[in-house]
Each structure stands twice: as C-alpha cells, then as structure tokens.
Amino acid sequence: MAGKPARPVNAIDQTRRMLSLVTYLRERPGARIADVARAFGITEDELVADLDLLPMCGTSFRGGDLLDIDTDGERIWWHNPAALGEEAAEPLRLAADEATALLVAARAVSTLPGLREGDRQALLRATAKVETAAGEAAGASSRLSVTFESEGGVFADVDRAISERRRLWIRYYSPARDEITEREIDPIRLVSVGHTYVEAWCRRSEARRTFRLDRVAEIRILDEPSAPPEVELRDLSEALVQPAAEDPEVVVEVGPGGRWVAEYYPHDSADELPDGGLRITLRTPDPASLRRLALRLGRDGRIVSPSELAESARRAAREALAAYDGPAGAVRGAGDGRDLSPA
C-alpha cells in the first residue's frame, strides 16, 4: 500500500538499498511493486522514488548502457538486464585525470573519523585495485591530498548515529543569538541544501530542529537510543527554511542592490518600489535573526516593521560602529539614516 515513509532514511542507506535492488530485479522480471517493497521493508512510494533514479545509472551514458527499468504501476520491468552482464562488460579504462581524482577522493574518504571499519577496509581494497588498473596514472595521485574540515567528522558521527539509532549530544553555535548551547538530539536524517544539515528532534526545545553541521562545535554519540516522535518529513527541495502561516510577519524594504533578498528568502510578497527596489513581506519563527540581514544590507535595505525589530537592528548597528576607531560619520551608512531606521 502506497503511503508516506514509515521511518527516515539517509543517502547511504538508500544507496545500499538501490545496489541490492539491481540484483533483486534482474533475477525477478515482472516483479510486483507491492512484493518488492515488502521484501525491502519500504513503502511503495519509496520504491517508486528509487525506480525513478535507477534509469540514470549504468556503465556509461552511451545508448544501451543505462538501466532500462520502468513500471506500469503494478509490476516492474527491466528491458536490458544484459547491459550489466559479464558478456557486455568492458575492461576498465580510466583517463589519467579520472584515475587521479578517483584515487585522491578514495584516500581522503578512508581517513574520515567515524567511518565503519568494515567500510574503510573495503574502500582500501577497492583503491588498491584502481591503482593497479590506473598504472602510471596512479603516480600523480600520490602527490595530492585532501583534508576534510571538521564537518567531515561530524557528518560521520551523525550518519553512524542515524544508522545505529542512537542519540547525540552536541555543542552548537547559534549565530542569531551569538551563543553556544548544549543539546541532546535524536537525529532523523541528513539533508543537503547548500550546506549539510541534520534534521533532528531536539530534547532541549522539545521540537523538530535543523542543525548545520559546520556549526557543531563538539559532538558525542550517546548510549541512549534515538526515539524521535513520528513526524511528517518535509519536502526541502524548494528551501530549507519553510515559514509557517502563524510565524511573525516582517516587512523589509531594499534598494536595487538588495533585490537578491527576494531570491534567497521565502516570502509572501515582493512589491516593486519607485527606486527599483522591493518591499518584501516575509515570515520567520525567529525575527531577531533578521538583524544580521539588516547589518549585511547596510545602505541597500531597512527593516520597516515590526518597529521593535527595526529599533533593535539600529541599536546593533550603532554598537558595531562603536567598535571602530574614529568618528561614526566616517562609516555612516551602517546604522544611521535610511538603512536600518524604523519606518
């Protein structure tokens, strides 16, 4: 029976499932969608989503090498299973730049903290085979290295916690409040929208929250099981931040140089102004977070309402000006005049 996912999955789980799905479908032509979904412990909707991706996979992008898999809504058909058969396989040929990129990436990933030891050893074995196949081209890769920033280790710990269904303790920096807080969270899934985030149930706020991985100052996997309440997974394809109708309304006016705000912030309306700018109405659960936007806009924008937020932004600008040597007039535009004053 089709429906919403019964449990969250991450990209690694989905990749492993799809690899198994290829073998499963090759051995069962005309398999029923309901039977396959039941065999893999997923919903029919999740299975159909996998089937939408599989035709983009194959040994190359040449005609006939991609998987030709489709469904009539009841059964699944694979029209060219021989495309992956041994009789159709060709020897691996890598260009020098391809071999270098692949080997450098493989070695970098193998050093990630939190990577399961079994996965690490499998990756090292595969790397050795690629080195043999690449021949002289492998030499260049040994002179290159990639170092992951801290987000890499955080990603590995979050991915492990999701896989093992364990709770996380984190120290997290909140730029809107300019503070670091300690939280226990039940991770739900990893998402990537410009940056990488973990969507989780926060035990401190008793609500669903989204945390950016590069703002996690410290992380620890706990022994307690992760038990987030059942929540409907949001469609984040449009934007990570999706304000609710009950969130407070904020009105911002921007000049021509600030029109980009309408492109990056979900908003209810954006009305043209005579000077080529925009009057933007948006909603946010945390209006105070828009002070940073106001400071960034400078002469190119101002908060119109609510008036207390406009005053707060103006006060923040004046405090920033006070940190500079010399008269405030020398850097006028960061807090005086049009830019941050209330309507």
Side-chain angles (χ1 to χ4, degrees):
M1 183 179 194
K4 293 187 173 76
R7 57 180 176 80
V9 297
N10 57 42
I12 294 178
D13 288 337
Q14 185 182 24
T15 300
R16 290 171 176 155
R17 182 177 70 229
M18 290 175 67
L19 290 172
S20 300
L21 188 59
V22 169
T23 301
Y24 186 94
L25 294 178
R26 185 178 179 185
E27 296 174 352
R28 296 167 177 81
R32 292 182 177 277
I33 286 182
D35 295 338
V36 178
R38 186 164 50 251
F40 281 82
I42 59 178
T43 67
E44 293 179 27
D45 285 348
E46 287 177 304
L47 176 59
V48 170
D50 288 348
L51 296 177
D52 288 340
L53 289 177
L54 283 177
M56 303 178 188
C57 306
T59 56
S60 80
F61 288 103
R62 295 177 299 183
D65 289 345
L66 294 175
L67 304 184
D68 187 4
I69 296 177
D70 69 357
T71 174
D72 60 4
E74 183 179 355
R75 293 179 178 273
I76 304 169
W77 303 99
W78 188 347
H79 301 295
N80 64 339
L84 295 185
E86 293 183 4
E87 65 279 3
E90 297 181 0
L92 175 63
R93 293 185 177 89
L94 292 175
D97 58 339
E98 293 174 328
T100 299
L102 185 59
L103 289 170
V104 170
R107 293 191 186 112
V109 171
S110 69
T111 65
L112 280 176
L115 187 67
R116 300 183 188 92
E117 188 57 30
D119 292 342
R120 191 190 312 277
Q121 293 303 318
L123 180 58
L124 292 175
R125 290 193 297 271
T127 303
K129 293 180 180 178
V130 173
E131 287 177 337
T132 300
E136 294 182 1
S141 68
S142 64
R143 298 190 293 272
L144 299 171
S145 64
V146 173
T147 301
F148 288 102
E149 296 182 357
S150 59
E151 181 178 318
V154 174
F155 181 98
D157 284 340
V158 173
D159 177 61
R160 179 183 168 194
I162 292 174
S163 177
E164 298 178 4
R165 303 195 177 194
R166 292 166 63 183
R167 187 171 297 175
L168 287 167
W169 171 87
I170 62 173
R171 293 179 66 241
Y172 186 76
Y173 173 65
S174 300
R177 294 185 294 275
D178 192 27
E179 65 178 2
I180 292 181
T181 57
E182 295 185 9
R183 304 165 183 263
E184 289 190 7
I185 63 172
D186 293 338
I188 298 172
R189 61 173 172 169
L190 285 159
V191 295
S192 180
V193 185
H195 296 276
T196 305
Y197 302 80
V198 57
E199 189 173 13
W201 185 262
C202 178
R203 293 291 167 179
R204 173 176 170 166
S205 58
E206 287 299 315
R208 176 166 54 183
R209 293 289 185 266
T210 304
F211 302 96
R212 208 169 105 174
L213 296 196
D214 62 355
R215 291 176 179 164
V216 176
E218 189 177 351
I219 186 170
R220 188 165 65 244
I221 301 177
L222 303 178
D223 292 332
E224 288 88 348
S226 174
E230 291 188 9
V231 295
E232 181 178 349
L233 297 184
R234 300 173 295 172
D235 179 8
L236 302 178
S237 58
E238 293 297 326
L240 182 69
V241 179
Q242 299 175 347
E246 62 271 15
D247 288 340
E249 181 181 273
V250 178
V251 178
V252 179
E253 286 188 355
V254 299
R259 293 179 67 95
W260 58 267
V261 173
E263 299 177 7
Y264 285 89
Y265 284 79
H267 54 275
D268 294 338
S269 63
D271 301 321
E272 294 285 344
L273 294 176
D275 64 354
L278 294 172
R279 182 183 178 92
I280 303 169
T281 302
L282 53 85
R283 296 181 182 278
T284 173
D286 184 15
S289 65
L290 293 182
R291 282 199 303 264
R292 294 172 63 89
L293 171 63
L295 291 171
R296 179 180 178 186
L297 284 169
R299 290 184 180 276
D300 288 321
R302 68 180 183 126
I303 294 174
V304 176
S305 67
S307 58
E308 60 270 21
L309 179 59
E311 174 59 30
S312 173
R314 183 168 57 186
R315 186 167 55 251
R318 287 174 175 167
E319 291 172 356
L321 286 173
Y324 286 84
D325 292 331
V331 285
R332 180 180 174 84
D336 283 327
R338 174 185 184 276
D339 44 322
L340 299 180
S341 60

